Amino acid sequence: MSHPRVAHVGIAVTDLDAATEAYRALLGHPEHDRETVEEQGVEVVHFEAGDAMLELLQPTRPDSPVGRFLQKRGEGIHHVAVWVDDLRAELARLGALGVTLIDKVPRVGAGGHLVAFVHPRSTRGVLVELTEKRKDPAP
Amino acid sequence: MSHPRVAHVGIAVTDLDAATEAYRALLGHPEHDRETVEEQGVEVVHFEAGDAMLELLQPTRPDSPVGRFLQKRGEGIHHVAVWVDDLRAELARLGALGVTLIDKVPRVGAGGHLVAFVHPRSTRGVLVELTEKRKDPAP
């Protein structure tokens, strides 16, 4: 049996520098890292917050998923990510239960981890990211 | 120095029973507890997900904060909560930094823990709940 664990909370922002300042103030400590994930069209800042992270997301182009979210909803929480042990097995389990998946096969996300998204229609309006840790340690 | 840790992700829902079913499917295990918090006008179901919880919130009345959120935005993520060691000290620290607080003094929330909310205008559109564990163990 899998034990999904909250990995991070993704927050869509229009100004990553200003947002980073705001979360430094809120959490009382500096960010963990900053990276660009071209495939998803986002620049990302992570803050540690216990076992989970807060992930600030600024779109690198307006037609990216986060860019479209900002145009429609404005800044705010975009998704919640949970760690799973075996992403392929989880996608098979959820598919068999009739859960609507955005990604039927895993792809590579921030930090080089495998990711797949569950459609909000199966999770009461919440965009859920399932993620499996990369096997090789980050360089 | 404080080390805030993600405590839970609050999700506003219109049908708590259906939402509970959906999250049982997603997480592959049953819920941790269910309770009503009259002061905040919500019925709450918690699911364990690592160190953090997923918290499903159904309003008990339409004019409650979660009821108004649902009318305006529909179902989805409502807030993120972080544990702090000393809530009064955190509120003083944040107030001195110019962070806008919804609650300048702590009040009692779900599980009997102290809670206070930070205004989304200081956190890029995110409603942030700060929470301090109740000192006496739950009965």
Side-chain angles (χ1 to χ4, degrees):
Chain A
M1 189 180 133
S2 180
H3 298 281
R5 317 176 294 293
V6 175
H8 64 256
V9 177
I11 298 165
V13 304
T14 55
D15 182 335
L16 192 56
D17 292 331
T20 300
E21 279 300 327
Y23 279 83
R24 283 179 191 150
L26 178 72
L27 297 171
H29 62 77
E31 63 274 25
H32 178 261
D33 60 20
R34 181 168 179 149
E35 69 175 314
T36 298
V37 184
E38 248 339 310
E39 193 217 3
Q40 292 178 40
V42 283
E43 193 173 356
V44 180
V45 167
H46 288 109
F47 280 87
E48 290 185 344
D51 261 15
M53 296 250 189
L54 297 185
E55 179 181 86
L56 306 179
L57 301 156
Q58 178 182 282
T60 58
R61 46 181 198 267
D63 65 337
S64 63
V66 173
R68 288 194 301 268
F69 176 92
L70 282 170
Q71 284 159 41
K72 200 166 138 190
R73 304 285 297 252
E75 292 188 315
I77 301 177
H78 176 259
H79 69 272
V80 59
V82 296
W83 292 119
V84 296
D85 295 329
D86 182 336
L87 182 50
R88 282 178 185 81
E90 274 300 295
L91 294 176
R93 185 183 70 82
L94 293 170
L97 288 172
V99 171
T100 305
L101 303 172
I102 294 173
D103 302 295
K104 289 189 176 59
V105 294
R107 52 200 175 82
V108 177
H113 305 298
L114 291 179
V115 301
F117 284 88
V118 179
H119 197 287
R121 84 166 62 107
S122 286
T123 46
R124 315 304 292 193
V126 177
L127 179 61
V128 174
E129 177 185 335
L130 303 175
T131 182
E132 176 187 328
K133 283 201 191 198
R134 57 187 284 170
K135 291 293 184 283
D136 56 307
Chain B
M1 189 180 135
S2 181
H3 297 281
R5 318 177 293 293
V6 175
H8 64 257
V9 177
I11 298 164
V13 303
T14 55
D15 182 335
L16 193 56
D17 291 330
T20 300
E21 280 299 327
Y23 279 83
R24 282 178 192 151
L26 178 72
L27 297 171
H29 62 77
E31 65 273 24
H32 179 261
D33 60 20
R34 180 167 179 148
E35 69 175 313
T36 298
V37 185
E38 250 336 313
E39 193 218 3
Q40 292 178 40
V42 283
E43 192 173 356
V44 181
V45 166
H46 288 108
F47 280 88
E48 290 185 344
D51 260 16
M53 296 251 188
L54 298 184
E55 179 181 86
L56 306 179
L57 301 156
Q58 177 182 280
T60 57
R61 46 179 199 267
D63 65 337
S64 63
V66 173
R68 288 193 301 266
F69 176 92
L70 282 170
Q71 285 159 42
K72 199 165 138 189
R73 303 285 295 251
E75 291 188 315
I77 300 177
H78 176 261
H79 70 273
V80 58
V82 295
W83 291 119
V84 297
D85 295 330
D86 183 336
L87 182 50
R88 283 179 184 80
E90 275 300 295
L91 294 176
R93 185 184 70 81
L94 293 170
L97 289 172
V99 171
T100 306
L101 303 171
I102 294 173
D103 301 296
K104 290 190 175 61
V105 294
R107 51 200 176 84
V108 177
H113 305 298
L114 291 179
V115 300
F117 284 88
V118 178
H119 196 286
R121 85 167 60 108
S122 286
T123 46
R124 314 304 293 192
V126 178
L127 179 61
V128 174
E129 176 185 335
L130 303 174
T131 180
E132 177 187 327
K133 284 203 189 191
R134 57 186 286 170
K135 291 295 184 283
D136 57 306

